[in-house]
Amino acid sequence: MGPFPVKLTHLRRLTDDTGMIEHCIGKIPRRKEGYSTDDNARALWACVEWGRYAHRTWNNEAGEQLSDLADTYLAFLAWVQKDDGHFHNNVAYDRQWEPEQPSDDCLGRVLWATATAAVWDLNRDRARVAQRLCRNGFRAIGSIQFPRGMAHVLSAASLLVREAEANPELEQPFRDWVLHELPTVAQQLGERLLHQYRSHAKPGWRWFEDTMTYSNGVFPWALFHWHETFPSSEAKQTAKDSLDFLIEKMTGSHGVIRPIGNRGWCTPQSTSQWDQQPVEVMKLAMACQQAYKVTGEKGYLTVLDKCRAWFHGKNDLGVPMADASDGSSCDGLTENGPNRNRGAESTLAYLITEAIFHQTMEGDDDECADE
């Protein structure tokens, strides 16, 4: 057993007995900003992915830490789920829910995270809790209007159907619900995303909207997930065309990854270079992992490697964004250098990108060795 590939120090620093605190001043948790359900969902997913890695590499110490952290994030999600299945997103440090409107993005992120947890560690209570949260959350999807929420829900539904078909160890009521209800959900959401693409794509613009804004990688990622479970030549081709276009737009000089900046986004006329967000790199890594799984094209592994390298200094300014000594990441990259605050979203983007990289690259090495 070698050393664990990432440190969990900053993840633990940001996590108290309520959940994961959203923001930092430098590396110090900024308690007055409270918590977000978005981040606690991402944190749960990070624990699932690294928990699988710890199990596969027989790292019991890391596995126990990740399981304990996952329980905290599950408890948070169980607390903020409403009677209608939605999840309240913004919570003050004194545990008071802040006023807000329901968020499609938040619902989608939680459903994806709880879907991954629902099929992980099946002999423990945390899987049953995740299954309950996920099933109740799917009751709220009828209100989803925005495509990023759809993409997350589509990916969650596709993953669950694959797992239910392949894994008879899933508890029977949950397995029966997945196989009875979710194929229709996936079909409806997949068709809506394809319609979104047909409505906006044109020569020189292979995309789902008139402007590339945030979380762009979730669109091809979701369609690749859908195709893996419910084969569709149109879904596969649309996923590939849009991902290749996104890679083109997210590649800067000297071939480094250049996230589409949130100071202007990307239109057919121009692409903003600043401010670059770590979460955009993570979303591209997610899409490339799924694209490689579906297509087997090695070029997607190259881009995944570049996504990881972005955090370690292979970016427009040649500066490290992540601190490997504690597992933290700067919040953004500006023309003047990194934003030194290391909050939850950016840190989780780094940890999840690392998990995707190690699982995919090491799995590819294993397959090559088997051959």
PDB file of all heavy atoms in Angstrom, residues 281-311:
ATOM      1  N   VAL A 281     -12.627  23.192 -14.788  1.00  0.00           N
ATOM      2  CA  VAL A 281     -11.648  22.159 -15.114  1.00  0.00           C
ATOM      3  C   VAL A 281     -12.174  20.796 -14.685  1.00  0.00           C
ATOM      4  O   VAL A 281     -12.055  19.802 -15.409  1.00  0.00           O
ATOM      5  CB  VAL A 281     -10.301  22.471 -14.440  1.00  0.00           C
ATOM      6  CG1 VAL A 281      -9.258  21.430 -14.806  1.00  0.00           C
ATOM      7  CG2 VAL A 281      -9.819  23.869 -14.827  1.00  0.00           C
ATOM      8  N   MET A 282     -12.771  20.747 -13.500  1.00  0.00           N
ATOM      9  CA  MET A 282     -13.353  19.496 -13.018  1.00  0.00           C
ATOM     10  C   MET A 282     -14.434  18.983 -13.963  1.00  0.00           C
ATOM     11  O   MET A 282     -14.490  17.788 -14.282  1.00  0.00           O
ATOM     12  CB  MET A 282     -13.941  19.694 -11.622  1.00  0.00           C
ATOM     13  CG  MET A 282     -14.585  18.443 -11.036  1.00  0.00           C
ATOM     14  SD  MET A 282     -15.590  18.797  -9.570  1.00  0.00           S
ATOM     15  CE  MET A 282     -17.151  19.269 -10.325  1.00  0.00           C
ATOM     16  N   LYS A 283     -15.308  19.866 -14.437  1.00  0.00           N
ATOM     17  CA  LYS A 283     -16.390  19.440 -15.303  1.00  0.00           C
ATOM     18  C   LYS A 283     -15.858  18.912 -16.638  1.00  0.00           C
ATOM     19  O   LYS A 283     -16.408  17.958 -17.208  1.00  0.00           O
ATOM     20  CB  LYS A 283     -17.371  20.600 -15.540  1.00  0.00           C
ATOM     21  CG  LYS A 283     -18.099  21.056 -14.267  1.00  0.00           C
ATOM     22  CD  LYS A 283     -18.979  19.978 -13.701  1.00  0.00           C
ATOM     23  CE  LYS A 283     -19.580  20.317 -12.351  1.00  0.00           C
ATOM     24  NZ  LYS A 283     -20.492  21.456 -12.360  1.00  0.00           N
ATOM     25  N   LEU A 284     -14.779  19.511 -17.138  1.00  0.00           N
ATOM     26  CA  LEU A 284     -14.167  18.990 -18.358  1.00  0.00           C
ATOM     27  C   LEU A 284     -13.551  17.612 -18.090  1.00  0.00           C
ATOM     28  O   LEU A 284     -13.663  16.699 -18.921  1.00  0.00           O
ATOM     29  CB  LEU A 284     -13.107  19.954 -18.873  1.00  0.00           C
ATOM     30  CG  LEU A 284     -12.382  19.528 -20.152  1.00  0.00           C
ATOM     31  CD1 LEU A 284     -13.361  19.334 -21.309  1.00  0.00           C
ATOM     32  CD2 LEU A 284     -11.303  20.543 -20.526  1.00  0.00           C
ATOM     33  N   ALA A 285     -12.925  17.447 -16.931  1.00  0.00           N
ATOM     34  CA  ALA A 285     -12.351  16.151 -16.575  1.00  0.00           C
ATOM     35  C   ALA A 285     -13.444  15.083 -16.489  1.00  0.00           C
ATOM     36  O   ALA A 285     -13.264  13.952 -16.968  1.00  0.00           O
ATOM     37  CB  ALA A 285     -11.603  16.253 -15.245  1.00  0.00           C
ATOM     38  N   MET A 286     -14.579  15.420 -15.884  1.00  0.00           N
ATOM     39  CA  MET A 286     -15.705  14.489 -15.815  1.00  0.00           C
ATOM     40  C   MET A 286     -16.130  14.029 -17.203  1.00  0.00           C
ATOM     41  O   MET A 286     -16.345  12.836 -17.460  1.00  0.00           O
ATOM     42  CB  MET A 286     -16.900  15.175 -15.126  1.00  0.00           C
ATOM     43  CG  MET A 286     -16.746  15.415 -13.648  1.00  0.00           C
ATOM     44  SD  MET A 286     -17.907  16.677 -13.015  1.00  0.00           S
ATOM     45  CE  MET A 286     -19.470  16.155 -13.712  1.00  0.00           C
ATOM     46  N   ALA A 287     -16.271  14.997 -18.103  1.00  0.00           N
ATOM     47  CA  ALA A 287     -16.737  14.681 -19.452  1.00  0.00           C
ATOM     48  C   ALA A 287     -15.720  13.821 -20.191  1.00  0.00           C
ATOM     49  O   ALA A 287     -16.091  12.881 -20.909  1.00  0.00           O
ATOM     50  CB  ALA A 287     -17.015  15.979 -20.221  1.00  0.00           C
ATOM     51  N   CYS A 288     -14.437  14.123 -20.020  1.00  0.00           N
ATOM     52  CA  CYS A 288     -13.404  13.346 -20.721  1.00  0.00           C
ATOM     53  C   CYS A 288     -13.327  11.922 -20.187  1.00  0.00           C
ATOM     54  O   CYS A 288     -13.104  10.973 -20.947  1.00  0.00           O
ATOM     55  CB  CYS A 288     -12.060  14.043 -20.600  1.00  0.00           C
ATOM     56  SG  CYS A 288     -11.930  15.537 -21.614  1.00  0.00           S
ATOM     57  N   GLN A 289     -13.486  11.764 -18.877  1.00  0.00           N
ATOM     58  CA  GLN A 289     -13.503  10.408 -18.318  1.00  0.00           C
ATOM     59  C   GLN A 289     -14.629   9.581 -18.925  1.00  0.00           C
ATOM     60  O   GLN A 289     -14.429   8.442 -19.346  1.00  0.00           O
ATOM     61  CB  GLN A 289     -13.683  10.463 -16.797  1.00  0.00           C
ATOM     62  CG  GLN A 289     -13.747   9.078 -16.151  1.00  0.00           C
ATOM     63  CD  GLN A 289     -14.309   9.104 -14.744  1.00  0.00           C
ATOM     64  OE1 GLN A 289     -15.275   9.818 -14.458  1.00  0.00           O
ATOM     65  NE2 GLN A 289     -13.705   8.338 -13.854  1.00  0.00           N
ATOM     66  N   GLN A 290     -15.818  10.165 -18.983  1.00  0.00           N
ATOM     67  CA  GLN A 290     -16.960   9.427 -19.509  1.00  0.00           C
ATOM     68  C   GLN A 290     -16.826   9.206 -21.010  1.00  0.00           C
ATOM     69  O   GLN A 290     -17.214   8.160 -21.535  1.00  0.00           O
ATOM     70  CB  GLN A 290     -18.258  10.171 -19.172  1.00  0.00           C
ATOM     71  CG  GLN A 290     -19.518   9.349 -19.351  1.00  0.00           C
ATOM     72  CD  GLN A 290     -19.584   8.132 -18.452  1.00  0.00           C
ATOM     73  OE1 GLN A 290     -18.946   8.083 -17.402  1.00  0.00           O
ATOM     74  NE2 GLN A 290     -20.347   7.123 -18.865  1.00  0.00           N
ATOM     75  N   ALA A 291     -16.260  10.184 -21.710  1.00  0.00           N
ATOM     76  CA  ALA A 291     -16.048  10.030 -23.151  1.00  0.00           C
ATOM     77  C   ALA A 291     -15.085   8.895 -23.441  1.00  0.00           C
ATOM     78  O   ALA A 291     -15.293   8.090 -24.365  1.00  0.00           O
ATOM     79  CB  ALA A 291     -15.507  11.337 -23.742  1.00  0.00           C
ATOM     80  N   TYR A 292     -14.015   8.803 -22.661  1.00  0.00           N
ATOM     81  CA  TYR A 292     -13.063   7.715 -22.868  1.00  0.00           C
ATOM     82  C   TYR A 292     -13.714   6.364 -22.565  1.00  0.00           C
ATOM     83  O   TYR A 292     -13.500   5.379 -23.285  1.00  0.00           O
ATOM     84  CB  TYR A 292     -11.831   7.912 -21.991  1.00  0.00           C
ATOM     85  CG  TYR A 292     -10.892   6.730 -22.063  1.00  0.00           C
ATOM     86  CD1 TYR A 292     -10.200   6.443 -23.240  1.00  0.00           C
ATOM     87  CD2 TYR A 292     -10.738   5.882 -20.973  1.00  0.00           C
ATOM     88  CE1 TYR A 292      -9.364   5.345 -23.326  1.00  0.00           C
ATOM     89  CE2 TYR A 292      -9.897   4.782 -21.046  1.00  0.00           C
ATOM     90  CZ  TYR A 292      -9.218   4.515 -22.228  1.00  0.00           C
ATOM     91  OH  TYR A 292      -8.404   3.421 -22.311  1.00  0.00           O
ATOM     92  N   LYS A 293     -14.514   6.317 -21.512  1.00  0.00           N
ATOM     93  CA  LYS A 293     -15.188   5.069 -21.152  1.00  0.00           C
ATOM     94  C   LYS A 293     -16.090   4.578 -22.273  1.00  0.00           C
ATOM     95  O   LYS A 293     -16.185   3.381 -22.551  1.00  0.00           O
ATOM     96  CB  LYS A 293     -16.003   5.288 -19.869  1.00  0.00           C
ATOM     97  CG  LYS A 293     -16.634   4.027 -19.299  1.00  0.00           C
ATOM     98  CD  LYS A 293     -17.356   4.338 -18.000  1.00  0.00           C
ATOM     99  CE  LYS A 293     -17.979   3.081 -17.405  1.00  0.00           C
ATOM    100  NZ  LYS A 293     -18.738   3.389 -16.154  1.00  0.00           N
ATOM    101  N   VAL A 294     -16.758   5.516 -22.950  1.00  0.00           N
ATOM    102  CA  VAL A 294     -17.706   5.166 -24.005  1.00  0.00           C
ATOM    103  C   VAL A 294     -17.015   4.925 -25.346  1.00  0.00           C
ATOM    104  O   VAL A 294     -17.353   3.982 -26.072  1.00  0.00           O
ATOM    105  CB  VAL A 294     -18.785   6.265 -24.137  1.00  0.00           C
ATOM    106  CG1 VAL A 294     -19.605   6.081 -25.408  1.00  0.00           C
ATOM    107  CG2 VAL A 294     -19.699   6.257 -22.914  1.00  0.00           C
ATOM    108  N   THR A 295     -16.051   5.775 -25.692  1.00  0.00           N
ATOM    109  CA  THR A 295     -15.462   5.716 -27.035  1.00  0.00           C
ATOM    110  C   THR A 295     -14.126   4.983 -27.090  1.00  0.00           C
ATOM    111  O   THR A 295     -13.737   4.491 -28.150  1.00  0.00           O
ATOM    112  CB  THR A 295     -15.238   7.133 -27.593  1.00  0.00           C
ATOM    113  OG1 THR A 295     -14.171   7.779 -26.853  1.00  0.00           O
ATOM    114  CG2 THR A 295     -16.505   7.970 -27.498  1.00  0.00           C
ATOM    115  N   GLY A 296     -13.409   4.946 -25.969  1.00  0.00           N
ATOM    116  CA  GLY A 296     -12.079   4.349 -25.973  1.00  0.00           C
ATOM    117  C   GLY A 296     -11.016   5.196 -26.647  1.00  0.00           C
ATOM    118  O   GLY A 296      -9.885   4.735 -26.834  1.00  0.00           O
ATOM    119  N   GLU A 297     -11.329   6.425 -26.995  1.00  0.00           N
ATOM    120  CA  GLU A 297     -10.374   7.288 -27.691  1.00  0.00           C
ATOM    121  C   GLU A 297      -9.366   7.878 -26.706  1.00  0.00           C
ATOM    122  O   GLU A 297      -9.715   8.574 -25.760  1.00  0.00           O
ATOM    123  CB  GLU A 297     -11.117   8.404 -28.432  1.00  0.00           C
ATOM    124  CG  GLU A 297     -12.001   7.888 -29.551  1.00  0.00           C
ATOM    125  CD  GLU A 297     -12.656   9.009 -30.350  1.00  0.00           C
ATOM    126  OE1 GLU A 297     -12.163  10.156 -30.262  1.00  0.00           O
ATOM    127  OE2 GLU A 297     -13.655   8.732 -31.040  1.00  0.00           O
ATOM    128  N   LYS A 298      -8.089   7.605 -26.957  1.00  0.00           N
ATOM    129  CA  LYS A 298      -7.030   7.991 -26.035  1.00  0.00           C
ATOM    130  C   LYS A 298      -6.850   9.505 -25.932  1.00  0.00           C
ATOM    131  O   LYS A 298      -6.290  10.004 -24.947  1.00  0.00           O
ATOM    132  CB  LYS A 298      -5.701   7.362 -26.485  1.00  0.00           C
ATOM    133  CG  LYS A 298      -5.687   5.846 -26.467  1.00  0.00           C
ATOM    134  CD  LYS A 298      -5.552   5.316 -25.059  1.00  0.00           C
ATOM    135  CE  LYS A 298      -5.331   3.795 -25.074  1.00  0.00           C
ATOM    136  NZ  LYS A 298      -5.125   3.246 -23.715  1.00  0.00           N
ATOM    137  N   GLY A 299      -7.304  10.246 -26.944  1.00  0.00           N
ATOM    138  CA  GLY A 299      -7.168  11.691 -26.884  1.00  0.00           C
ATOM    139  C   GLY A 299      -7.858  12.284 -25.670  1.00  0.00           C
ATOM    140  O   GLY A 299      -7.408  13.309 -25.128  1.00  0.00           O
ATOM    141  N   TYR A 300      -8.935  11.657 -25.214  1.00  0.00           N
ATOM    142  CA  TYR A 300      -9.636  12.165 -24.038  1.00  0.00           C
ATOM    143  C   TYR A 300      -8.808  11.953 -22.765  1.00  0.00           C
ATOM    144  O   TYR A 300      -8.921  12.734 -21.813  1.00  0.00           O
ATOM    145  CB  TYR A 300     -11.013  11.523 -23.909  1.00  0.00           C
ATOM    146  CG  TYR A 300     -11.940  11.912 -25.040  1.00  0.00           C
ATOM    147  CD1 TYR A 300     -12.472  10.959 -25.904  1.00  0.00           C
ATOM    148  CD2 TYR A 300     -12.270  13.246 -25.265  1.00  0.00           C
ATOM    149  CE1 TYR A 300     -13.308  11.316 -26.951  1.00  0.00           C
ATOM    150  CE2 TYR A 300     -13.097  13.627 -26.311  1.00  0.00           C
ATOM    151  CZ  TYR A 300     -13.616  12.650 -27.154  1.00  0.00           C
ATOM    152  OH  TYR A 300     -14.435  13.022 -28.195  1.00  0.00           O
ATOM    153  N   LEU A 301      -7.979  10.914 -22.740  1.00  0.00           N
ATOM    154  CA  LEU A 301      -7.067  10.735 -21.613  1.00  0.00           C
ATOM    155  C   LEU A 301      -6.030  11.853 -21.578  1.00  0.00           C
ATOM    156  O   LEU A 301      -5.642  12.320 -20.497  1.00  0.00           O
ATOM    157  CB  LEU A 301      -6.370   9.383 -21.703  1.00  0.00           C
ATOM    158  CG  LEU A 301      -7.229   8.132 -21.551  1.00  0.00           C
ATOM    159  CD1 LEU A 301      -6.356   6.888 -21.596  1.00  0.00           C
ATOM    160  CD2 LEU A 301      -8.038   8.164 -20.256  1.00  0.00           C
ATOM    161  N   THR A 302      -5.592  12.277 -22.736  1.00  0.00           N
ATOM    162  CA  THR A 302      -4.626  13.376 -22.804  1.00  0.00           C
ATOM    163  C   THR A 302      -5.220  14.647 -22.216  1.00  0.00           C
ATOM    164  O   THR A 302      -4.565  15.375 -21.453  1.00  0.00           O
ATOM    165  CB  THR A 302      -4.192  13.623 -24.258  1.00  0.00           C
ATOM    166  OG1 THR A 302      -3.600  12.430 -24.772  1.00  0.00           O
ATOM    167  CG2 THR A 302      -3.201  14.767 -24.353  1.00  0.00           C
ATOM    168  N   VAL A 303      -6.469  14.930 -22.558  1.00  0.00           N
ATOM    169  CA  VAL A 303      -7.116  16.135 -22.018  1.00  0.00           C
ATOM    170  C   VAL A 303      -7.336  15.988 -20.522  1.00  0.00           C
ATOM    171  O   VAL A 303      -7.147  16.952 -19.761  1.00  0.00           O
ATOM    172  CB  VAL A 303      -8.446  16.401 -22.748  1.00  0.00           C
ATOM    173  CG1 VAL A 303      -9.129  17.641 -22.169  1.00  0.00           C
ATOM    174  CG2 VAL A 303      -8.216  16.588 -24.242  1.00  0.00           C
ATOM    175  N   LEU A 304      -7.719  14.796 -20.071  1.00  0.00           N
ATOM    176  CA  LEU A 304      -7.880  14.565 -18.634  1.00  0.00           C
ATOM    177  C   LEU A 304      -6.577  14.829 -17.899  1.00  0.00           C
ATOM    178  O   LEU A 304      -6.566  15.464 -16.836  1.00  0.00           O
ATOM    179  CB  LEU A 304      -8.354  13.130 -18.400  1.00  0.00           C
ATOM    180  CG  LEU A 304      -8.438  12.650 -16.950  1.00  0.00           C
ATOM    181  CD1 LEU A 304      -9.309  13.568 -16.102  1.00  0.00           C
ATOM    182  CD2 LEU A 304      -8.970  11.217 -16.908  1.00  0.00           C
ATOM    183  N   ASP A 305      -5.475  14.376 -18.440  1.00  0.00           N
ATOM    184  CA  ASP A 305      -4.163  14.625 -17.847  1.00  0.00           C
ATOM    185  C   ASP A 305      -3.880  16.127 -17.778  1.00  0.00           C
ATOM    186  O   ASP A 305      -3.339  16.636 -16.788  1.00  0.00           O
ATOM    187  CB  ASP A 305      -3.089  13.910 -18.661  1.00  0.00           C
ATOM    188  CG  ASP A 305      -1.706  14.092 -18.071  1.00  0.00           C
ATOM    189  OD1 ASP A 305      -1.475  13.640 -16.942  1.00  0.00           O
ATOM    190  OD2 ASP A 305      -0.851  14.707 -18.742  1.00  0.00           O
ATOM    191  N   LYS A 306      -4.271  16.860 -18.821  1.00  0.00           N
ATOM    192  CA  LYS A 306      -4.063  18.310 -18.826  1.00  0.00           C
ATOM    193  C   LYS A 306      -4.951  19.005 -17.788  1.00  0.00           C
ATOM    194  O   LYS A 306      -4.561  20.032 -17.222  1.00  0.00           O
ATOM    195  CB  LYS A 306      -4.351  18.878 -20.214  1.00  0.00           C
ATOM    196  CG  LYS A 306      -3.313  18.500 -21.266  1.00  0.00           C
ATOM    197  CD  LYS A 306      -3.658  19.122 -22.608  1.00  0.00           C
ATOM    198  CE  LYS A 306      -2.617  18.810 -23.669  1.00  0.00           C
ATOM    199  NZ  LYS A 306      -2.942  19.441 -24.965  1.00  0.00           N
ATOM    200  N   CYS A 307      -6.138  18.463 -17.552  1.00  0.00           N
ATOM    201  CA  CYS A 307      -7.006  19.031 -16.511  1.00  0.00           C
ATOM    202  C   CYS A 307      -6.340  18.926 -15.144  1.00  0.00           C
ATOM    203  O   CYS A 307      -6.305  19.889 -14.372  1.00  0.00           O
ATOM    204  CB  CYS A 307      -8.356  18.309 -16.494  1.00  0.00           C
ATOM    205  SG  CYS A 307      -9.427  18.670 -17.903  1.00  0.00           S
ATOM    206  N   ARG A 308      -5.821  17.761 -14.850  1.00  0.00           N
ATOM    207  CA  ARG A 308      -5.108  17.598 -13.580  1.00  0.00           C
ATOM    208  C   ARG A 308      -3.904  18.540 -13.527  1.00  0.00           C
ATOM    209  O   ARG A 308      -3.639  19.177 -12.493  1.00  0.00           O
ATOM    210  CB  ARG A 308      -4.656  16.156 -13.419  1.00  0.00           C
ATOM    211  CG  ARG A 308      -3.857  15.911 -12.144  1.00  0.00           C
ATOM    212  CD  ARG A 308      -3.456  14.461 -12.034  1.00  0.00           C
ATOM    213  NE  ARG A 308      -2.754  14.214 -10.783  1.00  0.00           N
ATOM    214  CZ  ARG A 308      -1.452  13.964 -10.675  1.00  0.00           C
ATOM    215  NH1 ARG A 308      -0.691  13.951 -11.768  1.00  0.00           N
ATOM    216  NH2 ARG A 308      -0.902  13.726  -9.501  1.00  0.00           N
ATOM    217  N   ALA A 309      -3.162  18.626 -14.633  1.00  0.00           N
ATOM    218  CA  ALA A 309      -1.959  19.445 -14.662  1.00  0.00           C
ATOM    219  C   ALA A 309      -2.268  20.924 -14.440  1.00  0.00           C
ATOM    220  O   ALA A 309      -1.423  21.669 -13.915  1.00  0.00           O
ATOM    221  CB  ALA A 309      -1.231  19.251 -15.994  1.00  0.00           C
ATOM    222  N   TRP A 310      -3.473  21.370 -14.836  1.00  0.00           N
ATOM    223  CA  TRP A 310      -3.860  22.768 -14.617  1.00  0.00           C
ATOM    224  C   TRP A 310      -3.752  23.137 -13.145  1.00  0.00           C
ATOM    225  O   TRP A 310      -3.286  24.235 -12.801  1.00  0.00           O
ATOM    226  CB  TRP A 310      -5.288  22.994 -15.119  1.00  0.00           C
ATOM    227  CG  TRP A 310      -5.786  24.399 -15.012  1.00  0.00           C
ATOM    228  CD1 TRP A 310      -5.659  25.394 -15.937  1.00  0.00           C
ATOM    229  CD2 TRP A 310      -6.521  24.979 -13.909  1.00  0.00           C
ATOM    230  NE1 TRP A 310      -6.258  26.560 -15.486  1.00  0.00           N
ATOM    231  CE2 TRP A 310      -6.795  26.327 -14.249  1.00  0.00           C
ATOM    232  CE3 TRP A 310      -6.972  24.488 -12.696  1.00  0.00           C
ATOM    233  CZ2 TRP A 310      -7.494  27.183 -13.408  1.00  0.00           C
ATOM    234  CZ3 TRP A 310      -7.668  25.340 -11.844  1.00  0.00           C
ATOM    235  CH2 TRP A 310      -7.920  26.673 -12.199  1.00  0.00           C
ATOM    236  N   PHE A 311      -4.153  22.229 -12.271  1.00  0.00           N
ATOM    237  CA  PHE A 311      -4.091  22.502 -10.830  1.00  0.00           C
ATOM    238  C   PHE A 311      -2.647  22.554 -10.329  1.00  0.00           C
ATOM    239  O   PHE A 311      -2.364  23.194  -9.317  1.00  0.00           O
ATOM    240  CB  PHE A 311      -4.856  21.425 -10.054  1.00  0.00           C
ATOM    241  CG  PHE A 311      -6.347  21.545 -10.153  1.00  0.00           C
ATOM    242  CD1 PHE A 311      -7.062  20.815 -11.095  1.00  0.00           C
ATOM    243  CD2 PHE A 311      -7.047  22.386  -9.309  1.00  0.00           C
ATOM    244  CE1 PHE A 311      -8.439  20.919 -11.186  1.00  0.00           C
ATOM    245  CE2 PHE A 311      -8.425  22.500  -9.382  1.00  0.00           C
ATOM    246  CZ  PHE A 311      -9.125  21.766 -10.335  1.00  0.00           C
TER     247      PHE A 311
END
